[in-house]
């Protein structure tokens, strides 16, 4: 999704609280975990930005509303620059107090770690993708790579698969094992 489309889609939202996420798979995962935990998300819009580099545009678009979100830890310096304000505490804890929570690699990585690789493989099998996963694992670039890394990469290899698995992984998650960044985000809603 390009920036103009993402902004146009978000412009008419009337929600009082906006959760900014990088992409649609993040939106789907948050909505699924919220549903499993009994959060209604009434008055909350989970908005995919088409990448964290669009953060400033979305902060401007939703100025005056309560804004929170998730980001990948590797993007923290960028998030810090965008959120910078005189006197602001922009340490990781300070960014979290501003409502933005870092995922170690990304939200899919958090979900894979929370579920464990054995459970994720069961979900892949139930989705009818185990044979594709096994072929993928035979590729030279995947050999010797940890299973969690293979699963993470596999989920992102085909158009639509990342969003599909975001929902599958989130729906399978025991609420007591919700990844910390997602749990912190949901407590704000």
């Amino acid at each position: 999704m390009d920036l103009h489309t993402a902004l146009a889609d978000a412009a008419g939202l009337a929600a009082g609280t906006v959760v900014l996420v990088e992409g649609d798979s993040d939106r789907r995962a948050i909505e699924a975990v919220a549903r499993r935990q009994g959060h209604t998300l009434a008055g909350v819009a989970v908005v995919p930005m088409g990448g964290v580099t669009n953060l400033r545009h979305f902060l401007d678009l939703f100025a005056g509303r309560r804004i929170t979100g998730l980001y990948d830890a590797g993007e923290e310096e960028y998030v810090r620059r965008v959120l910078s304000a005189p006197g602001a505490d922009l340490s990781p804890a300070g960014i979290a107090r501003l409502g933005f929570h870092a995922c170690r690699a990304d939200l899919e990585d958090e979900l894979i770690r929370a579920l464990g690789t054995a459970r994720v493989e069961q979900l892949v099998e139930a989705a009818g993708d185990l044979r594709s996963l096994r072929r993928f694992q035979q590729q030279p670039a995947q050999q010797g790579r940890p299973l969690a890394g293979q699963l993470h990469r596999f989920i992102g290899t085909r158009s639509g698969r990342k969003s599909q698995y975001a929902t599958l992984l989130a729906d399978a998650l025991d609420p007591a094992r919700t990844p910390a960044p997602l749990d912190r985000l949901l407590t704000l809603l």
Side-chain angles (χ1 to χ4, degrees):
M1 174 184 315
D2 69 27
L3 174 61
H4 297 293
T5 303
L7 286 169
D9 288 350
L13 294 174
T17 299
V18 177
V19 178
L20 298 177
V21 295
E22 289 196 33
D24 190 58
S25 64
D26 299 325
R27 178 188 62 80
R28 288 177 181 229
I30 289 169
E31 290 173 349
V33 170
R35 184 176 54 251
R36 286 197 35 96
Q37 291 188 0
H39 294 279
T40 63
L41 296 184
V44 175
V46 182
V47 178
M49 300 180 292
V52 73
T53 58
N54 295 325
L55 179 59
R56 181 170 306 284
H57 298 285
F58 284 87
L59 291 174
D60 292 345
L61 178 66
F62 294 116
R65 299 191 206 185
R66 186 165 175 253
I67 303 171
T68 186
L70 292 176
Y71 65 95
D72 302 345
E75 302 291 348
E76 189 163 276
E77 186 55 40
Y78 180 80
V79 171
R80 183 178 288 117
R81 280 195 314 271
V82 171
L83 295 176
S84 67
D89 173 8
L90 296 175
S91 67
I95 293 171
R97 282 190 293 278
L98 292 173
F100 288 84
H101 305 279
C103 296
R104 224 183 267 179
D106 58 20
L107 187 52
E108 291 79 17
D109 173 66
E110 295 281 352
L111 293 169
I112 290 168
R113 279 188 292 103
L115 287 164
T117 56
R119 180 68 178 123
V120 175
E121 280 190 305
Q122 290 171 347
L123 295 169
V124 169
E125 183 174 20
D129 287 335
L130 189 59
R131 189 171 169 185
S132 293
L133 173 62
R134 296 299 182 234
R135 280 195 309 268
F136 174 78
Q137 290 173 314
Q138 292 172 0
Q139 295 177 2
Q142 300 307 317
Q143 294 177 5
R145 188 176 198 181
L147 180 55
Q150 291 173 342
L151 290 165
H152 184 265
R153 181 69 187 114
F154 175 75
I155 287 170
T157 58
R158 191 185 75 211
S159 178
R161 185 181 281 158
K162 193 171 182 182
S163 290
Q164 170 196 2
Y165 274 92
T167 303
L168 289 172
L169 298 177
D171 280 342
L173 188 65
D174 177 342
R177 295 192 47 83
T178 302
L182 184 51
D183 194 47
R184 287 190 299 267
L185 175 82
L186 291 173
T187 62
L188 296 174
L189 305 181

